[in-house]
Amino acid sequence: MISASGLAAQFTELVLAMLLAPLLTGWVNQCRAWLQSRSAPPILQPYYVLAKLFRKDVVLAHNASPLFRVAPYLILGVIALAAAVVPTLGTDLPMNAAADAIALVGLLAMARLFIALAAMDVGTAFGSLGARREMLVGFLAEPALLMVLFTASLISNSTSLATIVETLAHKELVIYPSMAFAGVAFTMVSLAENARIPVDNPATHLELTMIHEAMLLEYSGRHLALMEWAASLKLFVYSGIGLALFFPWGVAGGGDALGIVLALPVLILKLAIGGVLLALIEMLSAKMRIFRAPEFLGIAFLLGVLSMLLHVLLER
């Protein structure tokens, strides 16, 4: 039986994820500007952009199908569901029972499928180009992400993210060499999945180098706002997965209100540190050619496999 307090805690976690996601994007953009000695945009700039887009009218192509209109809502909804199952504040919430590693990867793959179909729906060259590149990146990134999640599941003997967090956070401090390799692989996958340098550049509008932005060229108004919000929420989800796997300390063991409140400042601190590290990685990296992306993600997959082998051979 799901209690009212559990539902309230779960709703709080989801609302906080959706509200903090644009703030995380603004923080990363601000840190990257500082590191590049540029004038930094306001940290609340993503909120201003979303508010402006929600006020604008939607302009649709004459041959846009109902899928093109519904896709932004579906994508945001699917990624919001993924954010709800990732234990960022507590491990005893109603949705944690569905927080299976394989199901989580499936949700992220479903969002990718919708955005790729919507990009190809109108039939523009750039939309189709971006959709093909997005599916290429996803085809290579998903196996690497599964290897990372399976490494953590071997340590906790469960594919549930809540169980993984509880196991790693409340066990005595142990150095796992396998998790070091898994951490590098997860970082590479996160950069690719969130359209960050070196795989993609979220700030570019050069048609021949775009991946994510190429799929949004036909969207406007509230539809574009939902897509941008979904992109920020996806970055938050991957940040939450990384914190759950590699820095699980500070997550509340129960679903009580006090534990959620105490876990919130810890989460914000970890996200702030992660945003600085992401901006630093982007500043020190150069945008690679799209033909090098398979090599990049292939290395991530091999590191994920190596992390599993290290656990089986050395840590059992």
Side-chain angles (χ1 to χ4, degrees):
M1 185 69 180
I2 300 176
S3 63
S5 61
L7 287 176
Q10 181 69 76
F11 180 75
T12 301
E13 185 181 69
L14 176 58
V15 171
L16 284 175
M18 299 194 70
L19 292 179
L20 290 177
L23 184 64
L24 177 60
T25 301
W27 172 245
V28 172
N29 294 339
Q30 196 171 67
C31 291
R32 185 171 58 181
W34 286 338
L35 291 171
Q36 295 174 346
S37 299
R38 294 188 290 109
S39 178
I43 193 173
L44 300 180
Q45 184 64 35
Y47 296 101
Y48 302 149
V49 173
L50 291 178
K52 179 184 69 174
L53 291 175
F54 274 119
R55 291 194 301 267
K56 288 182 174 291
D57 294 331
V58 174
V59 178
L60 293 172
H62 68 279
N63 59 336
S65 72
L67 173 64
F68 187 83
R69 299 174 174 88
V70 176
Y73 302 94
L74 293 176
I75 294 167
L76 181 62
V78 170
I79 298 181
L81 180 58
V85 303
V86 175
T88 54
L89 295 178
T91 59
D92 190 22
L93 301 180
M95 291 295 294
N96 290 152
D100 184 83
I102 302 176
L104 179 60
V105 175
L107 287 174
L108 296 173
M110 187 182 301
R112 177 184 298 107
L113 175 63
F114 284 138
I115 192 173
L117 290 177
M120 294 186 295
D121 182 78
V122 180
T124 59
F126 291 136
S128 300
L129 178 144
R132 291 194 297 268
R133 291 179 175 179
E134 176 72 12
M135 296 308 292
L136 171 65
V137 170
F139 171 77
L140 298 170
E142 287 170 8
L145 179 59
L146 282 172
M147 294 300 104
V148 172
L149 294 172
F150 287 159
T151 301
S153 66
L154 288 174
I155 296 175
S156 61
N157 296 318
S158 173
T159 57
S160 171
L161 287 179
T163 304
I164 292 173
V165 171
E166 290 179 349
T167 302
L168 296 177
H170 300 106
K171 285 181 64 175
E172 59 183 12
L173 184 61
V174 178
I175 297 177
Y176 294 102
S178 60
M179 293 301 287
F181 285 90
V184 176
F186 180 79
T187 302
M188 298 172 72
V189 170
S190 298
L191 293 173
E193 287 279 64
N194 290 282
R196 315 300 297 197
I197 295 174
V199 177
D200 193 10
N201 185 357
T204 186
H205 286 86
L206 299 175
E207 292 84 352
L208 296 180
T209 61
M210 289 190 297
I211 299 179
H212 178 74
E213 293 296 325
M215 297 185 291
L216 307 184
L217 291 177
E218 295 299 319
Y219 278 107
S220 60
R222 65 178 181 276
H223 290 164
L224 181 57
L226 293 173
M227 299 293 273
E228 295 289 355
W229 197 358
S232 297
L233 188 58
K234 186 177 181 181
L235 177 61
F236 184 91
V237 169
Y238 270 89
S239 300
I241 296 173
L243 296 177
L245 295 180
F246 306 104
F247 304 98
W249 305 281
V251 179
D256 58 297
L258 179 59
I260 297 295
V261 171
L262 295 177
L264 179 58
V266 179
L267 173 64
I268 294 176
L269 176 61
K270 291 191 289 187
L271 288 175
I273 297 174
V276 174
L277 294 177
L278 175 57
L280 182 62
I281 292 173
E282 288 194 290
M283 190 201 68
L284 296 177
S285 304
K287 171 70 171 65
M288 65 174 62
R289 298 174 62 193
I290 187 63
F291 302 107
R292 300 296 300 275
E295 300 176 11
F296 181 81
L297 293 171
I299 293 174
F301 176 75
L302 290 177
L303 289 174
V305 173
L306 183 59
S307 66
M308 293 184 61
L309 293 177
L310 282 176
H311 175 78
V312 173
L313 297 176
L314 301 179
E315 300 171 3
R316 282 188 175 274

